[in-house]
Amino acid sequence: MRAIEDTGIREREADPADEEPARGLPRYWLWLLVGAAVLPGTVLVLVGRALDEPAVQAWRTVCLAVVVQAMPFLLLGTALSGAINAFVPAHVFNRLLPKRPALAVPVAGAAGVVLPGCECASVPVANSLIGRGVTPAAAFAFLLSAPAVNPIVLTATAIAFPGSPEMVLARLLASLVTAAVMGWLWLWLGRAEWLKPAVRHAGHRPGHSRWTEFRQGFQHDFLHAGGFLVVGAMAAATFNVAVPRSVVDAFADSPWLSVLLLAVLAIVLAVCSEADAFVAASLSGFSPVARLTFMVVGPMVDLKLFALQAGTFGRAFAVRFSTATAVVAVVCSVLVGGVLL
Amino acid sequence: MRFVRVGLLVLSGLGLLRVSLFTDAYLRYVKEGMRPLLIASGVLVLALGVAEVVSWRREHAEEHAEGHGHDHSGVPRVAWLLLLPALSLLFYAPPALGSYTASRGAPKAVAVVEEDGFEPLPATSPLPITLTDFTQRVQQDTGRAIEGRTVRMTGFVTPVGEGDGWYLTRLMLSCCAADAQSVKVRVYGVAAPPADSWVTVTGVWHEGGTLGTSSAAVALDARGVERVERPVNGYTDALPLPS
């Protein structure tokens, strides 16, 4: 009985393999089976062990720290941008800002004083300003100046550099000048096609509940910007863990190199603008001008900001804009720092 | 897609609440003052998720009643990345930074004390002192008040790359763990406890260089070492707890 069954099964197995090999088991099915059984387990064990390496643990801690620290400010920014879209009519901004774009740029830059927060908040707000008909040049000036010149950041700077109020003044001036120059540069050279077409922010539509629009805009912006915040935090954590500070300090002696080095450091470390003054103060081996550069570049260009900008305005824009901003910010801080410090 | 959105929001909200409201884990990443902001953020994100569920059900009911579809916008693909920090905060929160970071970073520059800014040291012995205070006393106090005094300090253990002894260490934050800076005191005379363990060390200044100038070694000849619990807020330079 059993023998008959056995042969029957064998025949049934053998048949399809002979006649239509394409539908049978792959040639190395046994290896594949073993691989499928062993591989996930091995990967899990290896990943698990790797996650407990000190370097990986430090990376995860720094990455989470950047995300957790930025989260409240990101929420503030996205809520504000949702509110601007849903509740503020477009003509308000047209009335507040001067008609001529060239004049609107410095006014918008100076208006950055009112947004208390760090750079994560300013990107969604700038985006919603553009959606509400504000000229992009003015919105970009606001985007750059808001995280650097608001009262919280200036107070932090004053606390971090006790007894040198000229540092606060230099930071304020250099940031405002950079923001205005970038706005004018956009008026001169900028092209609308670099911007990702933003169809989402149509503002308030008649017949829809403003609260629902607010909630949906807020939610979408938060998910979107939050994802890019994670990208930026990962990049910043990688540099933070991979480049030890002692390497950085080796460059402190040369005045020009140190300015450039701290500019690069501001970009890759992606320290929150409310904290960068304390970090700058701790870089005691560097000249005041180099430290000013660190504080001017940091809030305007850094890895997490780049990720946020690329997500919001498009990569074509973010690459050009960040590069130009970095150059302008370094030049402005060297000029302002050279006069004041 | 709505399911994903709700999931992301709810998980992120719960993750934030877990580390800020239900546990002290947020202290591994940011400073103490962030707690109210983090709790508010957690509640807000959670509320966004709940509101999404409510409007989902309402629209579902309307759809059945009116029989027409609604405009469902998708989830931005990059938003999926929010899962990583959310799940990490919920289930697998990494520990606070420790000896790995301290051994790589340049030490924090200790603030300069005014010429006559040093108060006379209290007479208690052993004298509880912070690592920063000890560094200032050793390198800046021209009155050499620390000379011959027995002091007690608490910190965690960082191994020394080469040479004798080990470092008693504290990490301090300006804003979040991304800008942690260390202050270290080298400890001689006692075998190094395991890295990252928290200890209270009793000892006297280890002679080296001229006391009261920057040439003085920030080091201690230990008389005793005891293991202590990790303080709740490890990123501060606090006095040792009375034993």
Side-chain angles (χ1 to χ4, degrees):
Chain A
M1 194 59 190
R2 187 178 287 167
I4 293 172
E5 262 185 19
D6 273 352
T7 49
I9 288 168
R10 219 174 278 145
E11 271 171 18
R12 240 176 280 145
E13 269 181 354
D15 267 347
D18 284 344
E19 286 167 16
E20 30 185 313
R23 284 194 57 196
L25 290 164
R27 256 226 182 113
Y28 305 107
W29 64 274
L30 193 67
W31 291 115
L32 285 178
L33 202 69
V34 171
V38 174
L39 211 67
T42 323
V43 168
L44 263 183
V45 168
L46 283 182
V47 167
R49 185 150 322 150
L51 282 181
D52 286 335
E53 285 286 313
V56 180
Q57 269 187 354
W59 183 85
R60 289 170 56 221
T61 305
V62 170
C63 187
L64 260 188
V66 174
V67 172
V68 168
Q69 170 71 33
M71 204 52 101
F73 302 102
L74 188 74
L75 277 167
L76 175 75
T78 46
L80 208 55
S81 107
I84 289 173
N85 274 305
F87 299 114
V88 183
H91 61 78
V92 169
F93 294 111
N94 294 334
R95 205 173 295 162
L96 283 177
L97 286 172
K99 285 280 174 302
R100 288 187 47 199
L103 282 180
V105 165
V107 174
V113 173
V114 298
L115 183 72
C118 66
E119 57 264 37
C120 313
S122 61
V123 174
V125 172
N127 189 32
S128 67
L129 286 179
I130 295 176
R132 305 307 283 141
V134 172
T135 170
F140 294 146
F142 178 82
L143 164 82
L144 293 178
S145 77
V149 301
N150 70 63
I152 298 180
V153 171
L154 290 182
T155 313
T157 313
I159 295 172
F161 291 92
S164 49
E166 67 273 12
M167 191 54 115
V168 182
L169 184 67
R171 178 173 199 180
L172 176 68
L173 280 182
S175 302
L176 283 179
V177 171
T178 309
V181 168
M182 280 310 294
W184 287 322
L185 208 59
W186 177 264
L187 281 180
W188 182 33
L189 296 173
R191 298 224 204 100
E193 63 257 33
W194 292 340
L195 286 174
K196 195 162 78 178
V199 281
R200 222 162 13 83
H201 287 300
H204 174 66
R205 287 167 296 172
H208 289 71
S209 150
R210 283 180 190 267
W211 277 107
T212 312
E213 284 177 348
F214 165 67
R215 188 180 63 77
Q216 283 173 345
F218 179 17
Q219 178 193 292
H220 180 278
D221 281 3
F222 169 70
L223 286 176
H224 192 247
F228 281 100
L229 172 68
V230 177
V231 175
M234 286 176 170
T238 304
F239 280 100
N240 199 304
V241 174
V243 184
R245 277 281 275 288
S246 35
V247 171
V248 172
D249 288 340
F251 287 90
D253 290 334
S254 151
W256 290 105
L257 267 184
S258 67
V259 166
L260 289 181
L261 183 81
L262 284 202
V264 171
L265 199 67
I267 294 172
V268 296
L269 283 188
V271 180
C272 183
S273 71
E274 291 175 351
D276 60 359
F278 297 102
V279 179
S282 75
L283 297 167
S284 46
F286 291 86
S287 66
V289 176
R291 291 198 255 174
L292 176 69
T293 313
F294 182 83
M295 291 192 294
V296 174
V297 172
M300 299 189 172
V301 197
D302 67 36
L303 286 178
K304 78 175 170 334
L305 205 51
F306 178 80
L308 281 174
Q309 284 178 3
T312 310
F313 301 114
R315 202 180 303 158
F317 168 82
V319 171
R320 294 178 171 89
F321 190 70
S322 295
T323 317
T325 310
V327 173
V328 171
V330 170
V331 172
C332 284
S333 6
V334 169
L335 290 181
V336 173
V339 174
L340 282 178
L341 298 177
Chain B
M1 278 294 104
R2 271 204 132 147
F3 174 70
V4 177
R5 240 181 300 168
V6 171
L8 282 174
L9 290 169
V10 168
L11 284 177
S12 304
L14 287 178
L16 282 174
L17 283 181
R18 182 184 165 248
V19 295
S20 58
L21 186 60
F22 301 120
T23 66
D24 286 327
Y26 72 101
L27 287 172
R28 300 173 190 173
Y29 314 115
V30 292
K31 296 187 86 170
E32 226 166 351
M34 286 293 289
R35 186 171 209 172
L37 287 179
L38 289 177
I39 294 176
S41 306
V43 170
L44 188 58
V45 176
L46 197 61
L48 273 181
V50 171
E52 183 69 21
V53 175
V54 170
S55 84
W56 187 2
R57 295 189 61 173
R58 192 181 299 151
E59 281 176 27
H60 201 67
E62 280 174 13
E63 239 166 75
H64 276 281
E66 300 166 20
H68 67 84
H70 277 262
D71 171 30
H72 296 293
S73 55
V75 181
R77 209 180 305 158
V78 69
W80 282 90
L81 283 175
L82 277 173
L83 265 186
L84 295 177
L87 292 179
S88 189
L89 287 178
L90 268 178
F91 302 114
Y92 199 49
L97 296 175
S99 61
Y100 177 80
T101 309
S103 64
R104 292 163 53 88
K108 182 183 171 76
V110 172
V112 177
V113 181
E114 300 284 316
E115 187 62 29
D116 47 0
F118 285 104
E119 306 271 313
L121 285 172
T124 46
S125 185
L127 172 74
I129 194 169
T130 65
L131 273 65
T132 308
D133 279 349
F134 181 75
T135 310
Q136 285 171 336
R137 288 283 180 179
V138 166
Q139 295 201 322
Q140 297 174 27
D141 183 7
T142 45
R144 300 163 70 107
I146 201 79
E147 193 166 28
R149 294 294 303 267
T150 306
V151 296
R152 270 167 72 81
M153 291 184 282
T154 299
F156 64 86
V157 178
T158 300
V160 170
E162 47 202 53
D164 287 346
W166 43 279
Y167 287 119
L168 188 68
T169 328
R170 290 271 193 167
L171 282 171
M172 281 173 281
L173 308 185
S174 319
C175 179
C176 71
D179 54 45
Q181 292 176 299
S182 61
V183 50
K184 301 179 198 170
V185 173
R186 195 150 179 167
V187 179
Y188 295 97
V190 184
D196 284 318
S197 54
W198 282 76
V199 292
T200 295
V201 182
T202 314
V204 293
W205 178 60
H206 173 87
E207 284 184 32
T210 313
L211 189 60
T213 69
S214 57
S215 72
V218 185
L220 201 70
D221 277 325
R223 304 270 162 79
V225 173
E226 51 186 297
R227 299 284 286 269
V228 292
E229 286 281 298
R230 182 181 200 284
V232 177
N233 188 354
Y235 293 128
T236 49
D237 190 13
L239 290 172
L241 294 173
S243 52

